[in-house]
Amino acid sequence: MSTSGLAQRLRAVVGDDAVVDRREALLVYECDGYTLERAAPDLVVLPRTPEEVAAVVRLLAADGIPFVPRGAGTGLAGGTLPVAAPVMVCTSRLTEIESVDVRNRRVVAQAGVVNLKVTRAVEGEGLLYAPDPSSQAACTIGGNAAENSGGPHTLKYGVTVNHVLGVELVLPSGDVVALGGAVEDRPGYDLVGVVVGSEGTLGIATRLVLRLTRAPEGHRTLLAVFDSVDDASEAVSGIIAAGIVPAALEMMDRLILQAVEAAFRAGLPVDAGAVLIVEVDGPAAGLDEHARSVADVCLRHRAREIRRARDEAERALLWKCRKRAFGAVGRLAPNYCTQDGVVPRTRVPDIVRAIAAIGERHALRIGNVFHAGDGNIHPIILFDERDAGEVRRVLAAGEEILEACVALGGSLTGEHGIGVEKIRQMPLLFSPDDLGWMVRLRSVFDPEHRANPHKVLPDAKVCVEARAPRRQAAM
Amino acid sequence: MTQAIPARVRASAPAERFAAIVGEPFATPAGSADRVDGIAPRIVVRPASVDEVRAVIRTCGDLGLALVPTGLGRHLDVGAPPERCDVLLRLDRLGGILDHQPADMTATVAAGCSIAVLREALARHGQWLAVDPPCPEATTVGGMIAANLSGPLRASQGAVRDLLLGIEIVAADGALVRGGGRVVKNVAGYDLPKLHVGALGSLGVVVSATFKLRPRPPLERAIAVDCEDLDQAALVALAVRDALDPLWLAIEVPAESEGHPAPAASSAAARAIVGVAGIAAEVEDAVMRVERVAGVRGLASHPIAGATAVREDLASFPLRPAAAVLRASTLPGSVAACSRALVDAAASEGTRVAILADVATGVLRALVPAPRAVAPLVRRLRPALVAGGGYLVVERASPVVKQLLVGDADAWGDVGGGLELMRGVKTAFDPARLLSPGRMPGGI
């Protein structure tokens, strides 16, 4: 498994400028959006084409070298942190949109295409690519497929797996296999369905066939202002229970409102307990009525004010506040850690209360900005990484929040993935048999477990050893 | 009870061993009606609990018996004939809605619960599981998943894979394995539920499933546009797709033959039928837009009364009397060409096919009346479709027809690059080939 001489051989395949092995240059790759643990790979390879990816992986296979796939590195669960994998294979240079088929509503995009660019390429035709993670201006289609990413509008439109029809996958052996495709109902098992969301543990997706969606004819975007998070959470349950399916239903609490307002000056009510951003979209004919129904439910749940985005600029500003809230929080503390848990949507009030109690217990400031309509919470824990004690409390609080989600009947992750962050908690959700079957599936694609090893599936033997030093390093 | 099987039972004949698990009335010799694609199982076993399912499957493993799971037996004609079938595992006693949280819009349902029963319970809360498989009374939740059944709603609501949140299966070794969860958004671990959709029970026996529900739209309308030919119908359907968000969207080509004159309603050579739904303002607007799409082409459109019944009728298309149902998939823009190829090929085989195509998904079905025409049709049509990136499968056929589906006219055809992985998955999940062996593509 030695990497000596490997850089040389990789350069022969992908060129000098596509292999990074200088220590300082490697630091860029030591973490993704999850910064609590860091580890730089020995080598980073930046192939330019799907064919080069396959050639690189074949080379690694010949020497039995484990590797970590990486897109733009915006992941939030440490999915691209190298754990006993010396080589990182980045797909960020695979940036070609290979074909746009408006009539059939299909796009073939290479893995490194930035999410937003797909929609940009087709919006003139009245189409869009529905999954819209908050990081969509930076994250890649390949990374989205690995994590099965969501976004605010997945409440109505579904997550990545609902919009990926085909995946060209470089298997850990270096063999290339085309799964699914532009045409639906390929006979046999739904391998696209399991590859999407497998966090790079089954291989590296290099080309993806995406389904496009007809762009909605219009939107009505409301900002409902509440005195308390409780009232806002109950309004969320009320909207869902009333049979309304908004395109998006997002919550921001006071801490987040203050950070976002300081950053973007959008005129948000910084004294509110929480706000909901509710967007209804679809046929123009029903928009006003749906918006009215939403407003009625919010008022019944003690909304003190309902604001309506009057034009596209106001709507864009609201979404900027929401989608860039994570960044805005950077003003409040030197570091922050975003959690990702799910509860049944009616349990949003319970989990928000639980988060507040956990924050209090660990003396941590926690903000909430999340996909309330899906019950997909994103508490943001503020801290200072120079304070080792505080870092330990952040980790403990994060784990307690996820335990609370599972106890309420939810899940450890709604859209960020397990990565390294939540791997030890998988047994809370799955029995040894459940996990054993996942290992069997993995072994079909990757018998030697060389693709993104020690992710997703807990492996008691290796994981504990591999993780402990980095935890300390982070602290 | 399931763990410790007394030695006396262990030594006894299979029938007695199964009777010891499920009770004598529920382990009975198979009759001719229990055949799977003409292959007669030895025994029909009807467990009443998940534990009983586990014990039955463990016993099958002990005795080396192959089993085929079924619900109410209505869709056993989907897939390739099993290479062996010793036990027909009927899950119809595993009924009931295990958990319905109306405010969460999720429901967990036992595999043997019929779609009709589920639908009625959900409708009381103004909700639905937005999948409309054929014959909801005789279709179970497990069967819908295993055979990946859907209907016209798929055009806008997605297929089973898009609405399935979690699953519980009994694996080949009797283990109870859970995948997914009960919340609407969840990416923890591999999405095992998707692997079982359309797997015909070949990777495990589904015992319960959790679905994402949606509010049922308050109004539903259906509009038909009579067209001169199927090319025009497909163009109209695509124009409708681009002009509004239909709930469903189909083109229908009746098989008009001398012996069976087409009913008056379908006197046009082909028609586009559109379902729209929503609140009153949305539905009115959508109907107007469909009329406009038809009007600019000089075509008449007319509302059809009983939109839900119309949709249900189209959903049951694959169960109409026929020797076989062919399912072709292509791109939405190629539906007309694909339908035309089917009609022409049928004509040269001396028969006529009725076609129902979902223009939104590019999936079309053809009813072939003549048993002898099925295999030649597959041979004639499949290569061109596959060359264009599509597929042609024999979705259902009578046992007589299935016997003729061999070689390059087998039920599934070539699945291409993923086959080796699929075989690997089968071997990993069911090494002894006990579960629906041979029913999936490539002899899986």
Side-chain angles (χ1 to χ4, degrees), chain A residues 103-105 161-162 184-186 189-190 201 214 217 290 342 345-346 376 411 413 415 429 434 437 440 442, chain B residues 103-104 154 161-162 171 178 184-187 190 202 215 241-243 245 282 289 329 333 389 391 415 417 428:
Chain A
R103 184 174 166 84
N104 293 307
R105 296 187 178 172
V161 73
N162 306 114
E184 298 201 34
D185 281 3
R186 184 169 184 164
Y189 301 133
D190 182 3
T201 60
R214 183 171 178 265
E217 292 165 17
H290 291 307
V342 192
R345 1 196 182 207
T346 46
N376 185 188
S411 172
T413 169
E415 55 185 11
L429 211 51
D434 303 339
W437 247 258
R440 284 187 198 211
R442 193 218 166 123
Chain B
D104 288 330
R154 179 178 169 185
R161 83 190 286 271
D162 298 301
R178 231 166 44 96
V184 296
K185 207 169 166 189
N186 182 8
V187 297
Y190 298 142
S202 63
R241 178 198 69 166
D242 293 339
D245 295 316
E282 289 168 334
R289 292 188 197 198
S329 33
Y391 314 100
V415 292

Short mmCIF file of all heavy atoms in Angstrom, two decimals, chain A residues 103-105 161-162 184-186 189-190 201 214 217 290 342 345-346 376 411 413 415 429 434 437 440 442, chain B residues 103-104 154 161-162 171 178 184-187 190 202 215 241-243 245 282 289 329 333 389 391 415 417 428:
data_model
loop_
_atom_site.label_atom_id
_atom_site.label_comp_id
_atom_site.label_asym_id
_atom_site.label_seq_id
_atom_site.Cartn_x
_atom_site.Cartn_y
_atom_site.Cartn_z
N ARG A 103 -36.35 18.41 -25.22
CA ARG A 103 -37.57 17.68 -25.55
C ARG A 103 -37.81 16.53 -24.58
O ARG A 103 -38.93 16.30 -24.13
CB ARG A 103 -37.46 17.16 -26.98
CG ARG A 103 -38.70 16.46 -27.51
CD ARG A 103 -38.45 16.14 -28.98
NE ARG A 103 -39.39 15.21 -29.55
CZ ARG A 103 -40.59 15.56 -30.04
NH1 ARG A 103 -40.99 16.81 -29.95
NH2 ARG A 103 -41.38 14.66 -30.58
N ASN A 104 -36.74 15.84 -24.25
CA ASN A 104 -36.89 14.69 -23.35
C ASN A 104 -36.58 15.02 -21.89
O ASN A 104 -36.62 14.14 -21.03
CB ASN A 104 -36.00 13.54 -23.84
CG ASN A 104 -36.50 13.00 -25.16
OD1 ASN A 104 -37.67 12.65 -25.28
ND2 ASN A 104 -35.64 12.97 -26.16
N ARG A 105 -36.24 16.28 -21.66
CA ARG A 105 -35.97 16.75 -20.30
C ARG A 105 -34.85 15.96 -19.62
O ARG A 105 -35.00 15.46 -18.49
CB ARG A 105 -37.25 16.73 -19.46
CG ARG A 105 -38.29 17.69 -19.99
CD ARG A 105 -39.51 17.81 -19.09
NE ARG A 105 -40.45 18.77 -19.64
CZ ARG A 105 -41.67 18.97 -19.15
NH1 ARG A 105 -42.07 18.29 -18.10
NH2 ARG A 105 -42.47 19.87 -19.68
N VAL A 161 -31.99 11.56 -5.51
CA VAL A 161 -32.24 10.25 -6.10
C VAL A 161 -33.51 10.24 -6.97
O VAL A 161 -33.64 9.45 -7.89
CB VAL A 161 -32.32 9.14 -5.02
CG1 VAL A 161 -33.61 9.24 -4.22
CG2 VAL A 161 -32.15 7.76 -5.62
N ASN A 162 -34.43 11.15 -6.68
CA ASN A 162 -35.64 11.22 -7.49
C ASN A 162 -35.39 11.88 -8.85
O ASN A 162 -36.29 11.93 -9.69
CB ASN A 162 -36.74 11.99 -6.74
CG ASN A 162 -37.00 11.43 -5.35
OD1 ASN A 162 -36.75 12.06 -4.34
ND2 ASN A 162 -37.48 10.20 -5.30
N GLU A 184 -36.24 5.30 -18.81
CA GLU A 184 -36.67 4.75 -17.51
C GLU A 184 -36.94 3.24 -17.62
O GLU A 184 -37.02 2.69 -18.70
CB GLU A 184 -37.94 5.47 -17.04
CG GLU A 184 -37.69 6.96 -16.84
CD GLU A 184 -38.71 7.61 -15.92
OE1 GLU A 184 -39.17 6.95 -14.98
OE2 GLU A 184 -39.03 8.78 -16.15
N ASP A 185 -37.07 2.62 -16.43
CA ASP A 185 -37.48 1.22 -16.35
C ASP A 185 -36.51 0.25 -16.96
O ASP A 185 -36.89 -0.72 -17.62
CB ASP A 185 -38.87 1.03 -17.00
CG ASP A 185 -39.98 1.46 -16.07
OD1 ASP A 185 -39.66 1.95 -14.97
OD2 ASP A 185 -41.16 1.30 -16.44
N ARG A 186 -35.22 0.48 -16.76
CA ARG A 186 -34.26 -0.52 -17.17
C ARG A 186 -34.53 -1.80 -16.38
O ARG A 186 -34.70 -1.76 -15.16
CB ARG A 186 -32.86 -0.01 -16.85
CG ARG A 186 -31.77 -0.94 -17.33
CD ARG A 186 -30.44 -0.23 -17.21
NE ARG A 186 -29.38 -1.05 -17.74
CZ ARG A 186 -28.18 -0.58 -18.04
NH1 ARG A 186 -27.93 0.71 -17.89
NH2 ARG A 186 -27.25 -1.36 -18.51
N TYR A 189 -32.30 -4.93 -11.06
CA TYR A 189 -32.32 -4.22 -9.79
C TYR A 189 -32.00 -2.74 -9.98
O TYR A 189 -31.26 -2.35 -10.88
CB TYR A 189 -31.29 -4.83 -8.83
CG TYR A 189 -31.54 -6.29 -8.53
CD1 TYR A 189 -30.51 -7.22 -8.59
CD2 TYR A 189 -32.81 -6.74 -8.19
CE1 TYR A 189 -30.72 -8.56 -8.32
CE2 TYR A 189 -33.04 -8.08 -7.92
CZ TYR A 189 -32.00 -8.98 -7.99
OH TYR A 189 -32.21 -10.31 -7.71
N ASP A 190 -32.54 -1.92 -9.10
CA ASP A 190 -32.37 -0.46 -9.16
C ASP A 190 -31.02 -0.09 -8.53
O ASP A 190 -30.94 0.38 -7.41
CB ASP A 190 -33.53 0.19 -8.39
CG ASP A 190 -33.46 1.72 -8.43
OD1 ASP A 190 -32.55 2.27 -9.10
OD2 ASP A 190 -34.33 2.35 -7.79
N THR A 201 -18.73 5.13 -1.43
CA THR A 201 -18.19 3.86 -0.95
C THR A 201 -18.39 2.73 -1.96
O THR A 201 -17.94 1.61 -1.72
CB THR A 201 -18.85 3.42 0.38
OG1 THR A 201 -20.25 3.28 0.15
CG2 THR A 201 -18.61 4.45 1.47
N ARG A 214 -40.18 20.80 -15.19
CA ARG A 214 -40.77 22.04 -15.71
C ARG A 214 -40.72 23.09 -14.61
O ARG A 214 -41.15 22.84 -13.48
CB ARG A 214 -42.21 21.78 -16.12
CG ARG A 214 -42.93 22.95 -16.74
CD ARG A 214 -44.28 22.50 -17.31
NE ARG A 214 -45.01 23.63 -17.87
CZ ARG A 214 -45.93 24.32 -17.22
NH1 ARG A 214 -46.26 23.98 -15.98
NH2 ARG A 214 -46.55 25.33 -17.80
N GLU A 217 -44.65 28.08 -12.74
CA GLU A 217 -45.05 29.30 -13.44
C GLU A 217 -44.89 30.54 -12.56
O GLU A 217 -44.81 31.66 -13.06
CB GLU A 217 -46.51 29.17 -13.89
CG GLU A 217 -46.65 28.12 -14.97
CD GLU A 217 -48.10 27.71 -15.19
OE1 GLU A 217 -49.02 28.44 -14.75
OE2 GLU A 217 -48.30 26.64 -15.80
N HIS A 290 -53.32 29.45 -2.53
CA HIS A 290 -52.44 28.66 -1.67
C HIS A 290 -51.70 29.55 -0.67
O HIS A 290 -51.55 29.20 0.49
CB HIS A 290 -51.44 27.87 -2.51
CG HIS A 290 -52.07 26.77 -3.32
ND1 HIS A 290 -52.87 25.82 -2.77
CD2 HIS A 290 -52.01 26.48 -4.64
CE1 HIS A 290 -53.29 24.98 -3.71
NE2 HIS A 290 -52.78 25.37 -4.86
N VAL A 342 -33.17 14.28 11.44
CA VAL A 342 -34.55 14.30 10.95
C VAL A 342 -35.48 13.78 12.04
O VAL A 342 -35.14 12.84 12.76
CB VAL A 342 -34.74 13.40 9.71
CG1 VAL A 342 -36.10 13.66 9.07
CG2 VAL A 342 -33.64 13.62 8.70
N ARG A 345 -42.37 15.12 10.99
CA ARG A 345 -42.59 16.57 10.95
C ARG A 345 -43.40 17.11 12.12
O ARG A 345 -43.23 18.26 12.51
CB ARG A 345 -43.27 17.00 9.65
CG ARG A 345 -43.61 15.90 8.71
CD ARG A 345 -43.90 16.50 7.35
NE ARG A 345 -44.30 15.44 6.43
CZ ARG A 345 -44.13 15.50 5.13
NH1 ARG A 345 -43.61 16.55 4.58
NH2 ARG A 345 -44.52 14.51 4.36
N THR A 346 -44.25 16.25 12.70
CA THR A 346 -45.02 16.73 13.85
C THR A 346 -44.17 16.85 15.10
O THR A 346 -44.62 17.40 16.09
CB THR A 346 -46.18 15.76 14.16
OG1 THR A 346 -45.65 14.44 14.15
CG2 THR A 346 -47.29 15.88 13.16
N ASN A 376 -36.46 18.15 8.82
CA ASN A 376 -35.00 18.00 8.67
C ASN A 376 -34.32 19.20 9.34
O ASN A 376 -34.30 20.29 8.81
CB ASN A 376 -34.67 17.95 7.17
CG ASN A 376 -33.20 17.68 6.88
OD1 ASN A 376 -32.79 17.76 5.73
ND2 ASN A 376 -32.39 17.39 7.87
N SER A 411 -34.16 10.20 12.08
CA SER A 411 -32.95 9.64 11.49
C SER A 411 -31.74 10.51 11.81
O SER A 411 -31.87 11.68 12.18
CB SER A 411 -33.12 9.53 9.97
OG SER A 411 -31.89 9.15 9.36
N THR A 413 -29.49 11.51 9.68
CA THR A 413 -29.15 12.46 8.64
C THR A 413 -30.23 12.52 7.57
O THR A 413 -30.74 11.48 7.14
CB THR A 413 -27.77 12.15 8.00
OG1 THR A 413 -27.60 12.95 6.83
CG2 THR A 413 -27.63 10.68 7.62
N GLU A 415 -29.79 14.74 4.76
CA GLU A 415 -29.22 15.09 3.46
C GLU A 415 -27.71 15.27 3.46
O GLU A 415 -27.11 15.40 2.40
CB GLU A 415 -29.88 16.38 2.93
CG GLU A 415 -29.78 17.55 3.92
CD GLU A 415 -30.54 18.79 3.46
OE1 GLU A 415 -31.30 18.70 2.50
OE2 GLU A 415 -30.33 19.85 4.08
N LEU A 429 -29.63 3.39 14.88
CA LEU A 429 -30.69 3.36 13.87
C LEU A 429 -30.86 1.97 13.27
O LEU A 429 -31.95 1.58 12.88
CB LEU A 429 -30.31 4.35 12.76
CG LEU A 429 -31.39 5.07 12.00
CD1 LEU A 429 -32.38 5.73 12.92
CD2 LEU A 429 -30.75 6.12 11.08
N ASP A 434 -29.19 -5.34 9.98
CA ASP A 434 -29.40 -4.29 8.97
C ASP A 434 -28.05 -3.86 8.40
O ASP A 434 -27.88 -3.73 7.18
CB ASP A 434 -30.05 -3.05 9.60
CG ASP A 434 -31.38 -3.34 10.27
OD1 ASP A 434 -32.00 -4.37 9.94
OD2 ASP A 434 -31.80 -2.53 11.13
N TRP A 437 -26.29 -6.44 6.17
CA TRP A 437 -26.76 -6.51 4.80
C TRP A 437 -26.19 -5.36 3.95
O TRP A 437 -25.92 -5.52 2.78
CB TRP A 437 -28.29 -6.56 4.74
CG TRP A 437 -28.73 -7.89 4.22
CD1 TRP A 437 -29.17 -8.16 2.96
CD2 TRP A 437 -28.74 -9.14 4.91
NE1 TRP A 437 -29.43 -9.51 2.83
CE2 TRP A 437 -29.18 -10.13 4.00
CE3 TRP A 437 -28.39 -9.53 6.20
CZ2 TRP A 437 -29.30 -11.48 4.35
CZ3 TRP A 437 -28.51 -10.87 6.54
CH2 TRP A 437 -28.97 -11.82 5.63
N ARG A 440 -22.78 -6.43 2.97
CA ARG A 440 -22.84 -7.38 1.85
C ARG A 440 -22.97 -6.63 0.53
O ARG A 440 -22.33 -6.96 -0.46
CB ARG A 440 -24.07 -8.29 1.98
CG ARG A 440 -23.91 -9.36 3.01
CD ARG A 440 -25.10 -10.31 2.94
NE ARG A 440 -25.16 -11.07 4.18
CZ ARG A 440 -25.64 -12.30 4.25
NH1 ARG A 440 -26.12 -12.89 3.17
NH2 ARG A 440 -25.67 -12.93 5.40
N ARG A 442 -22.14 -3.56 -0.11
CA ARG A 442 -20.90 -2.85 -0.39
C ARG A 442 -19.86 -3.78 -1.01
O ARG A 442 -19.17 -3.43 -1.96
CB ARG A 442 -20.35 -2.27 0.91
CG ARG A 442 -19.26 -1.29 0.64
CD ARG A 442 -18.14 -1.31 1.61
NE ARG A 442 -17.06 -0.56 1.00
CZ ARG A 442 -16.48 0.49 1.55
NH1 ARG A 442 -16.86 0.87 2.72
NH2 ARG A 442 -15.53 1.10 0.91
N ALA B 103 -50.71 13.63 10.28
CA ALA B 103 -50.06 14.94 10.27
C ALA B 103 -48.62 14.86 9.77
O ALA B 103 -48.08 15.84 9.29
CB ALA B 103 -50.10 15.54 11.68
N ASP B 104 -48.01 13.67 9.86
CA ASP B 104 -46.67 13.49 9.29
C ASP B 104 -46.74 13.09 7.83
O ASP B 104 -45.75 13.09 7.14
CB ASP B 104 -45.92 12.39 10.05
CG ASP B 104 -45.49 12.84 11.43
OD1 ASP B 104 -45.26 14.04 11.60
OD2 ASP B 104 -45.40 11.99 12.32
N ARG B 154 -47.99 7.91 -12.14
CA ARG B 154 -46.53 7.95 -12.18
C ARG B 154 -46.02 9.17 -12.96
O ARG B 154 -44.94 9.68 -12.67
CB ARG B 154 -46.03 6.65 -12.83
CG ARG B 154 -44.53 6.62 -12.93
CD ARG B 154 -44.04 5.32 -13.52
NE ARG B 154 -42.63 5.45 -13.82
CZ ARG B 154 -41.92 4.52 -14.43
NH1 ARG B 154 -42.50 3.40 -14.80
NH2 ARG B 154 -40.64 4.71 -14.67
N ARG B 161 -40.48 3.64 -6.14
CA ARG B 161 -39.17 4.00 -5.58
C ARG B 161 -39.17 5.42 -5.02
O ARG B 161 -38.41 5.72 -4.12
CB ARG B 161 -38.08 3.85 -6.65
CG ARG B 161 -37.94 5.04 -7.56
CD ARG B 161 -37.05 4.80 -8.75
NE ARG B 161 -35.62 4.74 -8.50
CZ ARG B 161 -34.81 5.80 -8.52
NH1 ARG B 161 -35.29 7.01 -8.71
NH2 ARG B 161 -33.52 5.64 -8.34
N ASP B 162 -39.97 6.28 -5.61
CA ASP B 162 -39.95 7.68 -5.21
C ASP B 162 -40.76 7.94 -3.94
O ASP B 162 -40.64 9.01 -3.34
CB ASP B 162 -40.48 8.55 -6.36
CG ASP B 162 -39.61 8.42 -7.59
OD1 ASP B 162 -38.41 8.72 -7.49
OD2 ASP B 162 -40.12 8.00 -8.65
N ALA B 171 -34.83 -11.82 5.16
CA ALA B 171 -33.77 -12.21 4.24
C ALA B 171 -33.74 -13.71 4.06
O ALA B 171 -34.45 -14.45 4.74
CB ALA B 171 -32.44 -11.70 4.77
N ARG B 178 -34.00 -4.28 8.19
CA ARG B 178 -34.69 -3.02 8.00
C ARG B 178 -33.83 -2.09 7.15
O ARG B 178 -32.62 -2.05 7.29
CB ARG B 178 -34.88 -2.36 9.36
CG ARG B 178 -36.28 -1.90 9.69
CD ARG B 178 -36.37 -1.59 11.18
NE ARG B 178 -35.23 -0.82 11.65
CZ ARG B 178 -35.22 0.51 11.76
NH1 ARG B 178 -36.27 1.22 11.44
NH2 ARG B 178 -34.15 1.14 12.21
N VAL B 184 -39.62 11.42 6.18
CA VAL B 184 -39.73 11.70 4.75
C VAL B 184 -38.39 12.00 4.09
O VAL B 184 -38.28 12.05 2.87
CB VAL B 184 -40.70 12.86 4.47
CG1 VAL B 184 -42.11 12.48 4.88
CG2 VAL B 184 -40.27 14.15 5.18
N LYS B 185 -37.37 12.22 4.89
CA LYS B 185 -36.07 12.55 4.32
C LYS B 185 -35.05 11.81 5.16
O LYS B 185 -35.04 11.94 6.37
CB LYS B 185 -35.88 14.06 4.44
CG LYS B 185 -34.97 14.67 3.42
CD LYS B 185 -35.11 16.18 3.52
CE LYS B 185 -34.02 16.88 2.77
NZ LYS B 185 -34.04 18.32 3.05
N ASN B 186 -34.18 11.03 4.52
CA ASN B 186 -33.32 10.16 5.30
C ASN B 186 -32.23 9.60 4.40
O ASN B 186 -32.51 8.96 3.42
CB ASN B 186 -34.18 9.01 5.85
CG ASN B 186 -33.39 8.05 6.73
OD1 ASN B 186 -32.24 8.30 7.07
ND2 ASN B 186 -34.01 6.95 7.09
N VAL B 187 -30.98 9.90 4.71
CA VAL B 187 -29.90 9.35 3.89
C VAL B 187 -28.92 8.54 4.74
O VAL B 187 -27.75 8.41 4.39
CB VAL B 187 -29.15 10.43 3.09
CG1 VAL B 187 -30.08 11.11 2.11
CG2 VAL B 187 -28.50 11.49 4.01
N TYR B 190 -27.14 2.80 3.19
CA TYR B 190 -27.54 2.55 1.81
C TYR B 190 -29.06 2.49 1.71
O TYR B 190 -29.74 2.06 2.64
CB TYR B 190 -26.95 1.23 1.31
CG TYR B 190 -25.44 1.21 1.28
CD1 TYR B 190 -24.75 0.05 1.62
CD2 TYR B 190 -24.70 2.32 0.91
CE1 TYR B 190 -23.36 0.01 1.60
CE2 TYR B 190 -23.32 2.29 0.88
CZ TYR B 190 -22.65 1.14 1.23
OH TYR B 190 -21.29 1.09 1.21
N SER B 202 -36.76 -11.57 -5.02
CA SER B 202 -35.56 -12.38 -5.24
C SER B 202 -34.42 -12.03 -4.30
O SER B 202 -33.40 -12.71 -4.27
CB SER B 202 -35.09 -12.24 -6.69
OG SER B 202 -34.70 -10.90 -6.95
N PRO B 215 -51.30 14.93 0.17
CA PRO B 215 -52.72 15.27 0.25
C PRO B 215 -53.39 14.96 -1.08
O PRO B 215 -52.80 15.20 -2.14
CB PRO B 215 -52.71 16.78 0.52
CG PRO B 215 -51.35 17.27 0.20
CD PRO B 215 -50.42 16.09 0.27
N ARG B 241 -47.78 18.48 -21.97
CA ARG B 241 -46.74 18.38 -20.94
C ARG B 241 -46.01 19.71 -20.77
O ARG B 241 -45.61 20.10 -19.67
CB ARG B 241 -45.74 17.29 -21.34
CG ARG B 241 -44.58 17.11 -20.38
CD ARG B 241 -43.42 16.36 -21.02
NE ARG B 241 -42.76 17.17 -22.05
CZ ARG B 241 -41.56 16.90 -22.58
NH1 ARG B 241 -40.92 15.83 -22.20
NH2 ARG B 241 -41.04 17.68 -23.50
N ASP B 242 -45.81 20.41 -21.91
CA ASP B 242 -45.05 21.66 -21.86
C ASP B 242 -45.91 22.86 -21.48
O ASP B 242 -45.39 23.90 -21.11
CB ASP B 242 -44.37 21.92 -23.21
CG ASP B 242 -43.28 20.89 -23.48
OD1 ASP B 242 -42.80 20.27 -22.50
OD2 ASP B 242 -42.93 20.68 -24.65
N ALA B 243 -47.24 22.70 -21.58
CA ALA B 243 -48.12 23.85 -21.35
C ALA B 243 -48.70 23.88 -19.93
O ALA B 243 -49.24 24.90 -19.51
CB ALA B 243 -49.26 23.85 -22.37
N ASP B 245 -48.95 21.40 -15.88
CA ASP B 245 -48.44 20.27 -15.10
C ASP B 245 -49.57 19.25 -14.96
O ASP B 245 -50.30 19.28 -13.97
CB ASP B 245 -48.00 20.72 -13.70
CG ASP B 245 -46.82 21.67 -13.76
OD1 ASP B 245 -45.87 21.40 -14.52
OD2 ASP B 245 -46.83 22.70 -13.04
N GLU B 282 -57.15 26.11 -10.41
CA GLU B 282 -56.08 25.41 -11.15
C GLU B 282 -56.66 24.47 -12.19
O GLU B 282 -56.17 24.40 -13.33
CB GLU B 282 -55.21 24.62 -10.17
CG GLU B 282 -54.34 25.49 -9.28
CD GLU B 282 -53.70 24.73 -8.13
OE1 GLU B 282 -54.25 23.68 -7.70
OE2 GLU B 282 -52.65 25.18 -7.66
N ARG B 289 -56.22 25.19 -20.91
CA ARG B 289 -54.94 25.07 -21.64
C ARG B 289 -54.92 23.82 -22.53
O ARG B 289 -54.39 23.85 -23.63
CB ARG B 289 -53.77 25.01 -20.66
CG ARG B 289 -53.56 26.31 -19.93
CD ARG B 289 -52.28 26.25 -19.13
NE ARG B 289 -52.24 27.28 -18.11
CZ ARG B 289 -51.12 27.68 -17.52
NH1 ARG B 289 -49.97 27.11 -17.84
NH2 ARG B 289 -51.14 28.61 -16.61
N SER B 329 -39.78 0.78 -23.14
CA SER B 329 -39.47 2.10 -22.62
C SER B 329 -38.52 2.80 -23.57
O SER B 329 -37.61 2.20 -24.14
CB SER B 329 -38.91 2.04 -21.20
OG SER B 329 -38.17 0.89 -20.97
N GLY B 333 -39.93 11.78 -26.26
CA GLY B 333 -40.05 12.24 -27.64
C GLY B 333 -40.08 11.12 -28.66
O GLY B 333 -40.33 11.36 -29.85
N GLY B 389 -31.18 2.82 -26.97
CA GLY B 389 -31.07 3.04 -25.53
C GLY B 389 -32.32 2.64 -24.77
O GLY B 389 -32.44 2.92 -23.58
N TYR B 391 -35.69 -0.29 -23.94
CA TYR B 391 -35.86 -1.67 -23.50
C TYR B 391 -37.20 -2.20 -23.97
O TYR B 391 -38.16 -1.44 -24.12
CB TYR B 391 -35.80 -1.78 -21.96
CG TYR B 391 -34.65 -1.01 -21.38
CD1 TYR B 391 -34.84 0.24 -20.81
CD2 TYR B 391 -33.36 -1.52 -21.46
CE1 TYR B 391 -33.77 0.97 -20.31
CE2 TYR B 391 -32.29 -0.81 -20.97
CZ TYR B 391 -32.49 0.44 -20.40
OH TYR B 391 -31.44 1.15 -19.93
N VAL B 415 -29.82 -6.64 -20.14
CA VAL B 415 -29.84 -5.44 -19.29
C VAL B 415 -28.55 -4.64 -19.39
O VAL B 415 -28.43 -3.58 -18.80
CB VAL B 415 -30.09 -5.75 -17.80
CG1 VAL B 415 -31.48 -6.26 -17.60
CG2 VAL B 415 -29.08 -6.72 -17.25
N GLY B 417 -24.65 -3.36 -18.98
CA GLY B 417 -23.48 -3.34 -18.10
C GLY B 417 -23.70 -3.72 -16.64
O GLY B 417 -22.78 -4.20 -16.00
N ALA B 428 -24.90 -12.34 -3.05
CA ALA B 428 -24.62 -11.87 -1.69
C ALA B 428 -25.85 -11.98 -0.80
O ALA B 428 -25.74 -12.23 0.40
CB ALA B 428 -24.14 -10.41 -1.74
#
